[in-house]
Amino acid sequence: MTAHPTDSTARGELATRLRTLTLPLPGRGGTIRRWEHLARLTAEDIVTGRLIEAHADAIAITTDLGAPELVTADSHWGVWAAEPPRPLLTASESSGQPGGWVLHGTKPWCSGASLCTHALVTATTRERTPDSPAEVALFAVDLRQTGVRAVPDTWPAVGMAASDSGWVEFDDVPARRLGGHADYLERPGFWHGGVGVAACWFGGARAVAAPLFERAARANASPLVRAHAGAVAAELAAGWSLLEHTAAFVDADPDDERGLLMARALTVRTRIDRMAAGVIDRVGRALGAGPLCSDGEHAQRVADLGVYIRQTHAEADEATIAAEVRAHAERAGAAGTSTGTGPGNGPGTADVDVVAAAHWDALIGFDSTPLRGTDD
């Protein structure tokens, strides 16, 4: 089922799914069940999985920020937090409005722009000046109010076309401030949600692999097709094992006391991204152009997944993993958790390198011995 905004039947089916959605919150002991459900939804239909994942993330975000009552069973929420330089959505205080704030301007890349009833949106409360950075906050907004308009023809994509991820205009629309940008970004749940998106990518990759697996199981399948199928199965198995291990990692340390969650989440996202791209490539090399030209659903899945996995920042995220491990090792060393002593008041380079090596192993999962936190 593809939830296209012009398809009233699809709208109804999606609304029914959202009303009956019951997923464990991440970090409460059932994280792998949450991610498996998201993966299976996305394997069924990539756009549906993407829209439901955002709604489920909104439930987790509002719970983390102390407002779990906001997401009701009859609502459909988006999470619109892209912050490009332009266009700009601004927020200003307004004592005459119920939420105390109003939104004005345009928000780009809003998945479910004409489908959602509500959204969590980031907006600038003070623009950047030569002397200070911009201030951004997170708001909850009812999209059924006067002054909200999905802008036509702002999502010309082929991949994820049905996600309706265009621009939305706000003209002095009342909103409720849930917290600053840091309240949204710096909570562990931000990274729990980031891995939840990777679980959706996994489900999309499994769906793209389906025609290859079906062909490889035939009695007359060529060795080449079977080789590609075996390689894809190995990639998917490794990806799912990584998600399972990370779910246990999250449930064991939901508040990120070890300080490794950001690097871990980026590690999972980059691996699943590359795995999904590899599945698309191998299926095409094994089966040729046939399925892409004669099977519209498969062709759309390939296009959808190719766009969806580009939510990563590719090599920039991979570089951040290494930078985060180094920074974490420096913090741990400065707190006295490294071995030996360094010159001056801080840890020596050799000490930080030793701690960093331990953190690499902990991040990889090769060493399960808990690392001492920076407060120990």
Side-chain angles (χ1 to χ4, degrees), residues 303-320:
D304 288 346
L305 185 59
V307 171
Y308 196 8
I309 61 177
R310 292 279 50 81
Q311 283 191 353
T312 68
H313 296 100
E315 283 78 4
D317 280 352
E318 292 168 344
T320 299

Side-chain angles (χ1 to χ4, degrees), residues 240-304:
W240 187 248
S241 293
L242 180 58
L243 286 166
E244 285 186 316
H245 190 276
T246 302
F249 181 99
V250 165
D251 287 337
D253 186 17
D255 297 323
D256 192 27
E257 293 181 1
R258 298 173 72 188
L260 290 169
L261 182 57
M262 176 183 176
R264 179 69 180 191
L266 290 175
T267 299
V268 175
R269 285 169 61 88
T270 192
R271 179 80 286 274
I272 301 297
D273 165 29
R274 290 181 178 269
M275 180 274 290
V279 169
I280 291 172
D281 183 52
R282 280 191 177 273
V283 171
R285 286 161 54 195
L287 303 183
L292 291 171
C293 298
S294 60
D295 183 344
E297 289 189 1
H298 175 73
Q300 190 62 58
R301 281 192 206 103
V302 170
D304 288 346

Side-chain angles (χ1 to χ4, degrees), residues 136 139-140 150 156-157 169 180 195 239 329:
V136 177
F139 297 85
E169 290 180 346
V195 182

Side-chain angles (χ1 to χ4, degrees), residues 14 16 22 30 44 64-66 74 79-80 106 114 118 137 178 195 220 224 244 273 289 329 339 342 350:
L14 181 59
T16 298
T22 54
E44 179 183 333
D64 286 351
L65 297 182
D74 60 347
V79 180
W80 302 340
T106 303
S114 60
H118 298 75
L178 294 183
V195 182
N220 63 347
L224 179 64
E244 285 186 316
D273 165 29
T339 58

Side-chain angles (χ1 to χ4, degrees), residues 174-216:
R176 173 178 169 180
R177 188 180 188 274
L178 294 183
H181 210 210
D183 296 316
Y184 167 60
L185 288 176
E186 295 178 8
R187 42 183 260 286
F190 178 81
W191 296 109
H192 300 162
V195 182
V197 173
C200 291
W201 299 339
F202 174 90
R206 174 60 184 88
V208 168
L212 174 59
F213 287 164
E214 188 277 330
R215 183 80 63 85

